[in-house]
């Protein structure tokens, strides 16, 4: 959900709420002015992670970190109003798939009507909801947003995606490496027969030893406004953002 409010000085405040589970979400807050082309550029975005327990009190998130906490406070990007009540969000921080679209509640609720009347851009209390699941995943190297050192590589081959995740152990001497592939359907890649190998590297990054662990991993990868979310049946769960390179 995206809320846009007009301030008394003519600027606009924007808040985006995106739930990653029933008890956890990320919040983006930024502000700025719309230019004559309906574009608001910002450099003051604050991203916050919050989680709640059954009583509605703040609790630890899925990574074991006590919330709320600020992920960053100087994010940049822009939002742009399109035709028919559609808004695009372009984020510079690697959190959001470029061109992520939202539809005003008016347009969303009347999507099948012949004469949809959309909300005026920037009207106080305007609400936008995510329009469609991702039709493509970004490719390349991505890093764990919580700084664990875990990285993911995504490559596309025809209509299938191949993933390799490398996760260092506590000492940083062994890397748990997960390999799996699948097709993107309804915004998700669901895989079976994922393989785990434990790799140890020499100082020159060549492989010193490789140990096969298992090849029965199941899970899924999904592009969300939080980042590239990975859930595996053996426990690894990460949100990858930005580029490693």
């Amino acid at each position: 959900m995206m809320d846009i409010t007009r301030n008394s000085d003519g600027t606009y405040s924007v808040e985006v709420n995106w739930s990653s589970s029933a008890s956890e979400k990320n919040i983006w807050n930024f502000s700025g002015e719309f230019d004559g082309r309906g574009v608001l550029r910002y450099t003051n975005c604050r991203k916050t992670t919050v989680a709640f327990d059954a009583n509605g009190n703040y609790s630890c998130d899925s990574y074991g970190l006590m919330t709320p906490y600020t992920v960053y406070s100087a994010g940049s990007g822009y939002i742009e109003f399109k035709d028919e009540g559609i808004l695009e969000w372009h984020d510079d921080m690697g959190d959001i798939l470029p061109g992520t679209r939202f539809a005003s509640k008016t347009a969303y609720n009347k999507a099948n009507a012949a004469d949809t009347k959309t909300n005026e851009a920037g009207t106080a209390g305007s609400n936008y909801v995510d329009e469609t699941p991702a039709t493509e995943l970004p490719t390349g190297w991505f890093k764990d947003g919580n700084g664990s050192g875990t990285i993911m590589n995504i490559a596309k081959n025809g209509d299938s995606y191949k993933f390799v995740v490398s996760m260092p152990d506590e000492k940083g001497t062994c890397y748990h490496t997960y390999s799996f592939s699948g097709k993107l359907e309804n915004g998700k890649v669901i895989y079976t027969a994922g393989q785990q190998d434990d790799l140890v590297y020499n100082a020159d990054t060549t492989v010193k030893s490789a140990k096969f662990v298992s090849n029965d991993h199941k899970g899924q990868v999904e592009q969300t406004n939080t980042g590239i979310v990975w859930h595996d049946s053996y426990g690894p769960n990460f949100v990858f953002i930005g580029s490693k390179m």
Side-chain angles (χ1 to χ4, degrees):
M1 180 75 72
M2 176 181 284
D3 291 307
I4 303 174
T5 303
R6 181 168 182 167
N7 303 315
S8 58
D9 62 357
T11 62
Y12 293 84
S13 295
V14 181
E15 179 172 296
V16 181
N17 283 263
W18 185 270
S19 297
S20 53
S21 71
S23 60
E24 185 176 332
K25 67 179 179 179
N26 287 283
I27 304 171
W28 291 262
N29 292 98
F30 54 89
S31 61
E33 296 182 72
F34 283 99
D35 61 22
R37 297 182 178 180
V39 176
L40 182 152
R41 300 184 185 277
Y42 61 87
T43 57
N44 57 1
C45 180
R46 178 182 297 275
K47 179 183 177 182
T48 307
T49 295
V50 296
F52 302 93
D53 61 20
N55 297 317
N57 300 313
Y58 288 123
S59 64
C60 293
D61 65 5
S62 55
Y63 298 100
L65 301 175
M66 187 61 194
T67 71
Y69 62 84
T70 299
V71 181
Y72 53 74
S73 58
S76 61
Y78 68 92
I79 57 175
E80 179 181 13
F81 283 98
K82 297 292 188 177
D83 295 334
E84 301 301 327
I86 301 300
L87 178 148
E88 283 188 354
W89 187 10
H90 299 263
D91 169 68
D92 295 338
M93 306 305 292
D95 286 343
I96 311 301
L97 186 68
T100 294
R101 289 193 162 197
F102 296 80
S104 68
K105 276 192 171 180
T106 303
Y108 185 78
N109 292 334
K110 298 182 178 180
N112 297 319
D115 56 344
T116 298
K117 181 180 180 181
T118 60
N119 288 338
E120 177 184 355
T123 299
S126 293
N127 295 310
Y128 287 79
V129 293
D130 190 26
E131 189 183 32
T132 56
T135 56
E136 295 225 4
L137 292 179
T139 57
W141 288 98
F142 301 88
K143 59 186 178 182
D144 170 28
N146 283 310
S148 69
T150 302
I151 56 177
M152 170 182 277
N153 179 257
I154 305 177
K156 188 176 183 182
N157 183 13
D159 60 353
S160 182
Y161 287 88
K162 181 178 180 180
F163 304 83
V164 177
V165 178
S166 181
M167 180 174 64
D169 65 8
E170 294 181 356
K171 296 181 179 180
T173 56
C174 177
Y175 287 79
H176 308 301
T177 305
Y178 304 85
S179 305
F180 51 91
S181 61
K183 294 182 179 180
L184 182 67
E185 297 178 345
N186 297 319
K188 299 179 181 180
V189 173
I190 298 176
Y191 64 89
T192 58
Q195 180 167 320
Q196 178 187 346
D197 298 281
D198 284 351
L199 305 180
V200 177
Y201 293 90
N202 294 308
D204 61 358
T205 71
T206 57
V207 176
K208 181 178 180 180
S209 65
K211 177 184 177 182
F212 169 80
V213 178
S214 58
N215 61 0
D216 58 348
H217 287 248
K218 300 177 183 179
Q220 69 177 43
V221 177
E222 180 181 11
Q223 172 68 54
T224 75
N225 277 3
T226 304
I228 301 170
V229 180
W230 173 47
H231 296 287
D232 186 85
S233 57
Y234 274 54
N237 295 284
F238 290 95
V239 179
F240 294 95
I241 63 171
S243 175
K244 171 182 176 289
M245 307 304 291

